[in-house]
Amino acid sequence: MAMEARRSMCLADDADPSEVRSRIECLMKLFLKSLMVENDVAIKPLSLISRSERNAGADEEGVYLMDATYEKDFTVRNSGKSFFLVWKVMQICYQLLGIGKQATQREIFYNILSTSSSYITSQNQVNSAIQDAVAVLLCTRRSLGILASSKGAVVGRLVIKEHGGDTVDCSNLGSSSYPISADMNMKQHFYSDARYILVIEKDAIFQRLVEERFFLKVPCIIMTAKGFPDLASRALLHRLHQEFPSMLIFALVDWNPAGLAIICTYRFGSIRMGLEAPRYVCDVKWLGLRNRDALTYVPATAFTSLTDRDMTQARSLLASKMLQNHKQYKQEILEMLTFGQKAEIEALYAHGYEFLAKFITKKIVRQDFI
DNA sequence: ATGAATGTGGCTAGATTAGG
DNA sequence: CCTAATCTAGCCACATTCAT
């Protein structure tokens, strides 16, 4: 305990390209030096911030990592591949930064596939190598020139002025929405007269609200990441939160453990990306569906039983560090476990298609969120 | 031809297992 | 204890296959 208390919070820098490049050069020099020591040739291991639960902490602001490290050693059996991939990622990033370009995870995957295909079998390996690179260099993915590709969309009372000069009014897109692009970085300017930001779990529900032009009735910005939030959507929400700190942010998710997990990812971030988590989190409120909503509005036939997996996820959420100070969230999930059932947002359609908008409006007016 | 069912892939988180 | 490697799960988009 005393050991942990002494550990300090660790954060990845948003360093500029030359700084990142010099960190990579520095590592490479140390690596080469280790090979040239007379009578004691050795391959220097890489030192990374540990992304294990033990090295994580959580406070009101969200998840963070402390400074415990581990060594990724080329000479240890089974570690060679992952050791190589981290270097490979750093090499690609070094080149990207040199020419001032950026690439998505997917592009980096194909890049490695085309040059060193025997080292990888799936994108997952490259993704974790990228996270390892962040943990070695202590700089953000963005500063490495890695873009987070996105599946999210945004609509409503938001005007986006591109750096180049193009202006998009997200309240005037007809029945379409504005895709959250991978490089929504610090260059755009945002203008808005909204009072709320609505984060919707499911695209189908999002589309319904777009169709009804819900943002005309309630002054809001509506966004969705279409399922589990990707980094780009989280980054946009974080940015909007900073631009418009007075706007309240609400999340509308299914009434199941995964719904809360989605809220937690927006609200607290994740341990895996703990070094960057503080750059993505924002104060999301849980609007619905919650226990009382489900019991009040969801017809009995629309409930389904919690699966083993749901219950595992629920228990893991209850035990997680980030929820320890959030009694209300824990209470909700406990009640869900007791009830043993779950329900989807679509279940509200039992009261007609217009009910969804009424439901959301009522919840906001009554300040019924946690 | 049309629309439903099925499969694949991309993204995320987390669980599991083997091994030190 | 720890990590690496591999799976699973949920979400969606998109493509393919299958039955009408």
Side-chain angles (χ1 to χ4, degrees):
Chain A
M1 258 336 221
M3 273 286 280
E4 283 188 21
R6 230 183 299 133
R7 294 208 174 278
S8 58
M9 184 170 161
C10 233
L11 191 64
D13 300 325
D14 216 2
D16 50 62
S18 58
E19 164 69 19
V20 177
R21 274 168 66 100
S22 75
R23 283 187 200 182
I24 296 174
E25 285 165 14
C26 188
L27 267 179
M28 183 46 95
K29 278 174 193 158
L30 287 170
F31 175 80
L32 291 174
K33 219 171 180 177
S34 75
L35 292 177
M36 295 193 295
V37 176
E38 257 181 90
N39 303 324
D40 188 26
V41 173
I43 296 180
K44 186 183 165 58
L46 285 165
S47 177
L48 300 82
I49 297 287
S50 166
R51 303 192 296 278
S52 66
E53 169 114 33
R54 297 193 95 231
N55 192 37
D59 56 22
E60 273 309 297
E61 302 297 310
V63 170
Y64 60 87
L65 290 182
M66 291 169 287
D67 56 4
T69 58
Y70 70 96
E71 308 260 281
K72 193 182 280 282
D73 191 336
F74 179 71
T75 59
V76 167
R77 192 180 133 99
N78 281 337
S79 293
K81 215 160 71 168
S82 127
F83 181 88
F84 165 81
L85 282 177
V86 179
W87 280 109
K88 189 72 192 167
V89 166
M90 289 197 285
Q91 181 208 355
I92 293 169
C93 291
Y94 188 84
Q95 291 168 349
L96 282 172
L97 292 168
I99 54 174
K101 301 268 190 237
Q102 295 180 304
T104 60
Q105 288 197 128
R106 190 72 182 154
E107 283 178 273
I108 292 174
F109 168 68
Y110 278 124
N111 187 325
I112 296 175
L113 199 60
S114 65
T115 55
S116 325
S117 59
S118 54
Y119 286 89
I120 52 172
T121 54
S122 79
Q123 168 107 40
N124 276 352
Q125 298 163 327
V126 176
N127 294 356
S128 32
I130 290 171
Q131 285 170 3
D132 288 344
V134 169
V136 170
L137 297 167
L138 282 180
C139 55
T140 62
R141 296 154 72 100
R142 212 166 63 77
S143 67
L144 281 170
I146 298 169
L147 294 173
S149 67
S150 170
K151 52 191 163 71
V154 64
V155 79
R157 304 229 188 163
L158 177 68
V159 173
I160 301 167
K161 190 161 183 286
E162 300 282 347
H163 190 53
D166 280 357
T167 302
V168 180
D169 182 351
C170 298
S171 64
N172 197 21
L173 299 168
S175 58
S176 59
S177 53
Y178 186 78
I180 297 172
S181 62
D183 59 349
M184 276 225 174
N185 51 31
M186 300 305 160
K187 296 228 174 101
Q188 284 105 345
H189 290 95
F190 296 107
Y191 308 92
S192 176
D193 65 346
R195 290 180 59 200
Y196 312 104
I197 301 174
L198 276 179
V199 180
I200 312 292
E201 174 180 354
K202 284 180 159 157
D203 190 43
I205 306 296
F206 176 79
Q207 294 300 337
R208 162 118 326 259
L209 294 173
V210 172
E211 197 176 305
E212 293 189 14
R213 319 207 93 208
F214 181 73
F215 48 85
L216 297 180
K217 294 170 207 152
V218 176
C220 62
I221 298 167
I222 310 174
M223 63 174 281
T224 179
K226 300 179 186 174
F228 218 96
D230 55 76
L231 280 177
S233 303
R234 285 157 62 187
L236 172 69
L237 189 60
H238 181 77
R239 174 82 199 283
L240 289 175
H241 183 45
Q242 284 187 318
E243 290 283 323
F244 312 111
S246 64
M247 284 186 202
L248 286 169
I249 306 173
F250 300 127
L252 185 64
V253 298
D254 285 343
W255 187 57
N256 57 25
L260 178 59
I262 287 174
I263 289 178
C264 288
T265 305
Y266 280 116
R267 173 72 180 80
F268 305 108
S270 63
I271 292 175
R272 276 197 159 187
M273 290 192 189
L275 288 170
E276 302 179 74
R279 299 183 190 281
Y280 295 110
V281 299
C282 54
D283 188 11
V284 176
K285 305 288 186 198
W286 189 358
L287 188 74
L289 298 179
R290 298 214 318 277
N291 222 336
R292 201 161 352 111
D293 311 322
L295 298 180
T296 312
Y297 300 115
V298 173
T301 51
F303 286 106
T304 50
S305 292
L306 292 174
T307 62
D308 288 350
R309 184 164 183 85
D310 288 328
M311 291 192 268
T312 306
Q313 184 168 32
R315 281 190 283 267
S316 142
L317 280 167
L318 282 173
S320 69
K321 283 179 175 152
M322 54 197 173
L323 281 194
Q324 293 318 306
N325 293 322
H326 289 261
K327 291 217 169 58
Q328 288 176 303
Y329 285 12
K330 287 176 81 171
Q331 185 57 33
E332 287 283 333
I333 210 84
L334 276 172
E335 286 168 16
M336 189 189 299
L337 275 174
T338 310
F339 191 58
Q341 310 271 308
K342 58 182 177 177
E344 309 211 316
I345 310 173
E346 282 91 337
L348 295 179
Y349 288 162
H351 302 273
Y353 281 120
E354 316 79 38
F355 182 73
L356 182 65
K358 275 189 226 155
F359 170 79
I360 297 172
T361 313
K362 201 197 296 183
K363 300 271 291 182
I364 294 176
V365 171
R366 293 188 181 172
Q367 305 202 358
D368 182 9
F369 47 79
I370 56 178

